Every structure is written in structure tokens, then in C-alpha cells.
């Protein structure tokens, strides 16, 4: 889903793709190699800003055309879109303390095995990646042999793969780097793109692999998702999350337009919580040919997609 710039010619012509390119971060070409590249200016005048909309609504009760206030007894303002039934936007839904808690969990605990990440296919399961990056350690690949490298237990962690990838202190890794593949833990952390919680998703076959080892979604996260999902749930029903994906974005990263269509039960909403830097979210229609709406996503915002909105590209 990352790197969608390589989409085919047909995808390039869709309205959704054109809007993706419109808001993508590009950099100015610089003749000087020493000069830091500057991002190109992007016209953001048409991007919906629900933070400003909420502030205006609280002051004078006014809303821009096409935006509606959802009155469902929730403890904070919720907004929807007239032409996207089932879409809910809750600006500033999470407190600063809650945001810090879940950012920390996303970096330290959510990528922990048996949860899978984008690194699994190359390196196998990696334990304590954030701690290793913080300590400046290096991941070293060692082939299994009777004359394996000697190491102190505290200096390395095996991932149990056919090759052993272990974390070493930088000075030890440098002495072995001539004969072994190495990669700094900090690089692996920067290249972390997703981790999956609860039931594990098999990206190759595009389905949930029930047979893969997994833990239940943490209770605190389940409780939070249930609370946030209430506005999109039928009266008397409770949201029960079984799987989640954590997407990690660096500056300039983009997630290609897609549908979340692998769940067996589409009657329950998608609950999306945002943390970290501000980004642009695109909400399209049931076809890629439908021009999507662009809106800012800020840290602490929550988006719900239920009913017809579940069938919208985003």
C-alpha cells in the first residue's frame, strides 16, 4: 500500500489518484548538493479542517455547506458529511495524555512478537526494537553453525529464524560486519511501516490468518475503541474489536487509496485513531472515479466509517 506512485496507467487516470498526487509531498530540485531540499508548495485551500469547524460551531453554531453535526449524546462534538452517510469525524477526541500513552505503546509494545510487522518477511520477529534503537545497537545476521559466534546473552537476542539475527553493541557489530550482514536498529525503526494486533492479517493472501500465533488486543485499547465507536453502533450493540493495524508514517509517506474489505462483518464500523504529525486524509466514493474529499487529520482525531462509508475508498 505504500509507494503507490508506481500504480499503473489506469490508476493514474482516476479521480482518486489525481487527488493523491495533488496533495503528495514533493521537493524542489536543487542544483546544490549541500542545500537542503525544500518541499513544494501545495494548495490546501480546499482541505476540510474539522478543528476550525468545531471551534466555529462551538462559538456560533455555524457549519460549512455539506458538513452536519451528529447529535448522539456523545461527550464531544461529532461531525458528518451529507454525501457520505456513515462517516463520522471526532476532532480532538483524545486528550494529550492519551495521545502520549498510545504513541509510546505504538513504538514499544505493539511491534512486539507475536504481533507481525513489515520486517517479518526479511528478518523474522524482532523483539525490543525501540529499546535497541535507543541504545544504538546493530542487528547482525549470523548463519547457524557449530562454530557460531560467541556472545554474551545480554548482548544479543535471537529471533528463532533459519538465520539468527541478533542485536549487538555497535563496536562488536563493526568487528563482525565484514563477514555478516548488519543493519542499525535505528534504521529498522525508521523503516517500520506497520504492525498488526489481535488476529494477524496475511498480506500475501489478503485474509486473516487465524492459525498464526497472536495475542488479544490489549484491554485498554479495546475499551478505548468501544468508547469511540459508540456513535456509529446500533443502539444496544457493543463494538468488539478483534484485529487492528498500526500504520507508521514518515514525512512524505502515503497510503494508497483502498477499501478495508476483508472483514466478514461489514455491519461494524472501522475505528481509526490518529497520533503524531498532522496529515491529509482522503475520503472518496464507491469508485476510484469519484473525486475524494480532503481533510486534515491531527493527533487525537478519531474517524469512524460505518454503513455506506465502509464501501468508500480512502
Amino acid at each position: 500500500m505504500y509507494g503507490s506512485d508506481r500504480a499503473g496507467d489506469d490508476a493514474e487516470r482516476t479521480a482518486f489518484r489525481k487527488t493523491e498526487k495533488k496533495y503528495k509531498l514533493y521537493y524542489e530540485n536543487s542544483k546544490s548538493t549541500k542545500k537542503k531540499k525544500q518541499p513544494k508548495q501545495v494548495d490546501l485551500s480546499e482541505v476540510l479542517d474539522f478543528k476550525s469547524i468545531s471551534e466555529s460551531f462551538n462559538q456560533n453554531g455555524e457549519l460549512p455547506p455539506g458538513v452536519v453535526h451528529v447529535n448522539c449524546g456523545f461527550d464531544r462534538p461529532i461531525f458528518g458529511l451529507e454525501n457520505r452517510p456513515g462517516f463520522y469525524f471526532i476532532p480532538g477526541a483524545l486528550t494529550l495524555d492519551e495521545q502520549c500513552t498510545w504513541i509510546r505503546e505504538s513504538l514499544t509494545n505493539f511491534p512486539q512478537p507475536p504481533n507481525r510487522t513489515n520486517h517479518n518477511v526479511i528478518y523474522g520477529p524482532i523483539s525490543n526494537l525501540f529499546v535497541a534503537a535507543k541504545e544504538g545497537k546493530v542487528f547482525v545476521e549470523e548463519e547457524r553453525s557449530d562454530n557460531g559466534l560467541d556472545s554474551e546473552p545480554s548482548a544479543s537476542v535471537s529471533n528463532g529464524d533459519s538465520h539468527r539475527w541478533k542485536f549487538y553493541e555497535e563496536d562488536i557489530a563493526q568487528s563482525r560486519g565484514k563477514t555478516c550482514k548488519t543493519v542499525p536498529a535505528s534504521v529498522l525503526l525508521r523503516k517500520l511501516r506497520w504492525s498488526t494486533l489481535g488476529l494477524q492479517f496475511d498480506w500475501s493472501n489478503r485474509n486473516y490468518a487465524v492459525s498464526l500465533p497472536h495475542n488479544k488486543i490489549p484491554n485498554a485499547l479495546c475499551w478505548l475503541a468501544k468508547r469511540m465507536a459508540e456513535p456509529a453502533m446500533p443502539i444496544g450493540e457493543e463494538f468488539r474489536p478483534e484485529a487492528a493495524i498500526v500504520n507508521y508514517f514518515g514525512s512524505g509517506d502515503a497510503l494508497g487509496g483502498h477499501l478495508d474489505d476483508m472483514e466478514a462483518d461489514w455491519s461494524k464500523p472501522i475505528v481509526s485513531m490518529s497520533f503524531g504529525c498532522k496529515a491529509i486524509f482522503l475520503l472518496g466514493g464507491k469508485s476510484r472515479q469519484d473525486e475524494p474529499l480532503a481533510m486534515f487529520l491531527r493527533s487525537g482525531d478519531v474517524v469512524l466509517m460505518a454503513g455506506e462509508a465502509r464501501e468508500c475508498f480512502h
Side-chain angles (χ1 to χ4, degrees):
M1 288 186 287
Y2 289 86
S4 59
D5 283 349
R6 296 186 293 273
D9 292 340
D10 290 342
E12 292 290 334
R13 290 193 288 265
T14 67
F16 199 102
R17 180 60 180 155
K18 289 177 181 177
T19 306
E20 283 182 319
K21 295 182 71 173
K22 175 181 177 180
Y23 292 112
K24 182 174 172 58
L25 182 64
Y26 293 100
Y27 289 91
E28 300 283 359
N29 292 325
S30 176
K31 295 180 180 179
S32 172
T33 56
K34 296 182 180 179
K35 187 178 180 181
K36 186 177 180 181
K37 290 184 177 181
Q38 297 298 317
K40 291 184 177 181
Q41 292 295 316
V42 178
D43 182 4
L44 302 176
S45 60
E46 297 179 354
V47 181
L48 280 175
D49 188 345
F50 280 101
K51 179 182 179 182
S52 296
I53 290 172
S54 181
E55 291 171 351
S56 177
F57 180 76
N58 289 336
Q59 290 176 2
N60 53 39
E62 295 181 356
L63 291 171
V67 177
V68 296
H69 174 244
V70 181
N71 189 0
C72 60
F74 207 60
D75 59 356
R76 65 204 71 199
I78 302 175
F79 302 97
L81 300 170
E82 288 180 351
N83 61 351
R84 295 292 188 275
F87 176 81
Y88 303 83
F89 196 110
I90 315 176
L94 304 178
T95 67
L96 183 59
D97 284 344
E98 287 177 313
Q99 294 170 45
C100 291
T101 293
W102 295 113
I103 289 173
R104 184 166 52 249
E105 289 292 298
S106 296
L107 292 171
T108 57
N109 291 328
F110 291 167
Q112 289 284 80
N115 296 340
R116 298 170 68 83
T117 75
N118 56 293
H119 289 321
N120 275 71
V121 68
I122 297 176
Y123 305 104
I126 302 176
S127 297
N128 304 315
L129 175 58
F130 183 79
V131 173
K134 189 176 180 181
E135 295 176 350
K137 291 187 176 180
V138 179
F139 219 25
V140 179
E141 183 185 36
E142 302 173 326
E143 291 193 25
R144 293 186 182 278
S145 67
D146 294 335
N147 298 319
L149 298 176
D150 295 329
S151 62
E152 295 296 326
S154 60
S156 63
V157 180
S158 172
N159 68 1
D161 204 358
S162 57
H163 289 71
R164 292 179 299 170
W165 283 88
K166 295 183 178 182
F167 283 123
Y168 285 94
E169 301 294 342
E170 187 174 5
D171 56 344
I172 299 176
Q174 287 178 347
S175 67
R176 296 170 175 174
K178 295 181 180 179
T179 58
C180 303
K181 295 179 181 178
T182 65
V183 56
S186 59
V187 171
L188 289 175
L189 186 62
R190 285 199 302 272
K191 292 185 176 181
L192 183 64
R193 289 295 177 265
W194 54 263
S195 61
T196 46
L197 312 181
L199 291 175
Q200 298 295 291
F201 193 78
D202 183 346
W203 294 97
S204 298
N205 297 314
R206 285 185 54 77
N207 60 28
Y208 287 96
V210 180
S211 61
L212 286 175
H214 63 277
N215 294 329
K216 290 184 178 180
I217 296 177
N219 288 336
L221 184 58
C222 276
W223 178 84
L224 179 62
K226 288 178 182 179
R227 180 163 64 93
M228 291 298 141
E230 285 178 7
M233 290 293 294
I235 296 176
E237 291 191 24
E238 185 180 70
F239 186 64
R240 297 181 179 180
E242 296 180 304
I245 180 170
V246 185
N247 288 309
Y248 303 84
F249 298 93
S251 179
D253 284 347
L255 186 62
H258 64 283
L259 295 175
D260 294 300
D261 55 0
M262 290 297 105
E263 291 74 27
D265 184 1
W266 283 30
S267 67
K268 304 302 184 292
I270 298 167
V271 180
S272 175
M273 294 177 275
S274 298
F275 306 104
C277 296
K278 182 170 66 173
I280 291 178
F281 176 73
L282 300 181
L283 177 66
K286 297 180 182 181
S287 165
R288 292 183 188 272
Q289 295 295 347
D290 296 327
E291 185 174 357
L293 293 168
M295 59 197 76
F296 287 121
L297 272 182
R298 290 183 169 86
S299 189
D301 291 344
V302 170
V303 165
L304 307 176
M305 297 179 69
E308 290 187 32
R310 277 223 54 166
E311 304 174 43
C312 292
F313 282 89
H314 56 280

